[in-house]
Amino acid sequence: MPAVVIANTGDVPEFEGRITFNVIVCVVIAACGGLMFGYDIGVSGGVTAMDDFLKKFFYEVWERKQLAHENNYCKYDNKKLQLFTSSLYIAALIASFIASKTCSKYGRKPTMQLASIFFIIGVALTTFAVNIEMLIIGRLHLGLGVGFANQAVPLFLSELAPAKIRGALNISFQLFITIGILIANVVNYAVGKIHPYGFRISLGIAGVPALMLCLGSLAIHETPTSLIERKKVEEGRAVLKKIRGVDNVDREYDSIVHACEVASQITQPYHKLMKRESRPPLVIAIVMQVFQQFTGINAIMFYAPVLFQTVGFGSDAALLSSVITGLVNVLSTFVSVVLVDRVGRRALLLEACVQMFITQCIIGGILMKDLKITGNLPSGDALVVVIMVCVFVAGFAWSWGPLGWLIPSETFPLETRTAGFSFAVSSNMLCTFVIAQAFLSMLCHMRSGIFFFFAAWIVVMGLFALFLLPETKGVPVDEMVDRVWKQHWFWKRFFNDEQAVEKRETEMIRPHLI
Ligand code: BGC
């Protein structure tokens, strides 16, 4: 039986219930999952820019950096260095498939506990790594943690939060990711001067949110949906009363029971997902993730310090610049929280495409004109690059960042929602892996062309959003099929099977009649 994802946004029915202390504690603890993920996105680029780290694990890269006639674009091009970043995402990809099963079978709470345990092991291995092998094995453990947490935490949040704050909470997961990235950037900047083990502090601090999640998840409740889904009906009702802080929870309880009944009839959600009528939300979920990654955001998030060193900043200035981009990322995510239900999803996505396209072209243009194979950019140019990176990150953070997750969570019908969402998570991990593994080599071979490469993707995703992405603002999740998909000029053809068959039959008969 698939796990049940309760509607995240839209006109969700109002049930009795206050935002109890219990709910707040649960939400804060679960948000640690977002911090765990974000911290790891931010930390790898920072330590990669630290000489002590390179000297210890990637000596050739450090040596190449020291050469007077170093090649600006290629000094970090090293497969193992990229594997350090990317290995996490390949493990997360595998874990996210397993996690959708453990979430259904054992619940969200043990899945989160498992995530934090993998994460703590990963932190210990990376912090005390004595060689590359230990470092990479540590990253793989972190990846398993991220994969389990990324499936369980959003599910946990959407099921536990009172209906009226569900939409905002969905985006707050993204907000915690960005805060995690920012904290990593700040820590990297602060410990960069501590020789020779500053990088170990950076890697070790990743254990804080994992430890909080681990301890916290011992204290939290399993979600009522998960309990009812696993036939612990009375316990489910009792937990619902406790977390809502009221005695009358009948309506919400009935709606959860109904949702679980519907879901239990679908014994093979993945099979159902492959059916023709599931194609529109499935394509949108996967494509949103592919496009999200091919904006080039993680080239910036992972490698900003390296990139800023490439354009001529010293190690310190490069780490400081990453703090600034990290801050822009957090603040701009708030813009999304405020605007997403007012101006709609499409307006934000389209505006951001224009903004991101222009900034990628300007960065590419400056590098093409002024950053030769050796030598630095003039300082004015380097400043413009940092500003453009900030404008780019702002555009991403109020659009494709949060909406890449929000849209797949609100467009599947209940029966395929969890299975469909796990496709979104794994597509994200796969594309993140590709970018992490390829970016530094692409930078070396394509030089400034890499920014035009991302700009070209942005044009494609803009056209996609313009013509193929329906607006879902304010549409109740359970009316998505009738009000959105069946009305859309392109996607409606996936729902008219009977009419289409009739039409085809008439067309086949007609020639004989003439
Ligand atoms: C993406 C991450 C990215 C982050 C940046 C998320 O939505 O999935 O890959 O690093 O946004 O804030």
Side-chain angles (χ1 to χ4, degrees), residues 7 120 147-148 166 191 217 263 365 379 381 437 514:
I120 290 168
F148 279 105
R166 234 168 245 158
V191 305
S217 61
S379 60
D381 275 1
Q437 187 59 39
I514 293 173

Side-chain angles (χ1 to χ4, degrees), residues 6-10 12-13 15 157-172 244 252 256 406:
I6 299 291
N8 285 315
T9 57
V12 269
F15 301 115
L157 290 181
S158 66
E159 288 172 355
L160 211 79
K164 50 181 175 262
I165 60 163
R166 234 168 245 158
L169 256 179
N170 189 297
I171 295 189
S172 71
R244 293 289 177 253
E252 183 168 6
I256 298 175
L406 178 69

Side-chain angles (χ1 to χ4, degrees), residues 72 300 304-314 317-318 320-322 324-325 359 362-372 375-391 451:
N72 270 327
I300 309 273
V306 168
L307 192 70
F308 291 141
Q309 286 197 7
T310 303
V311 302
F313 285 12
L320 181 62
S321 309
S322 316
I324 297 170
T325 52
T359 48
I362 295 178
I363 298 172
I366 292 179
L367 297 199
M368 187 159 69
K369 192 168 133 299
D370 288 336
L371 186 65
K372 305 294 170 232
N376 285 347
L377 269 187
S379 60
D381 275 1
L383 192 65
V384 177
V385 169
V386 175
I387 294 171
M388 286 301 117
V389 168
C390 288
V391 179
F451 296 95

Side-chain angles (χ1 to χ4, degrees), residues 37-38 41-42 89 150 174 177-179 181 289 292-293 297-298 301-302 329-330 333 393 396-397 399-405 428-429 432:
F37 182 36
I41 293 174
Y89 299 93
N150 272 16
Q174 169 74 13
I177 296 179
T178 61
I179 294 173
I181 299 176
Q289 296 293 343
Q292 188 204 58
Q293 291 304 314
I297 184 66
N298 279 329
M301 289 299 140
F302 296 149
N329 194 16
V330 175
T333 306
V393 168
F396 175 89
S399 61
W400 293 83
L403 299 185
W405 296 108
N428 179 282
M429 293 303 154
T432 310

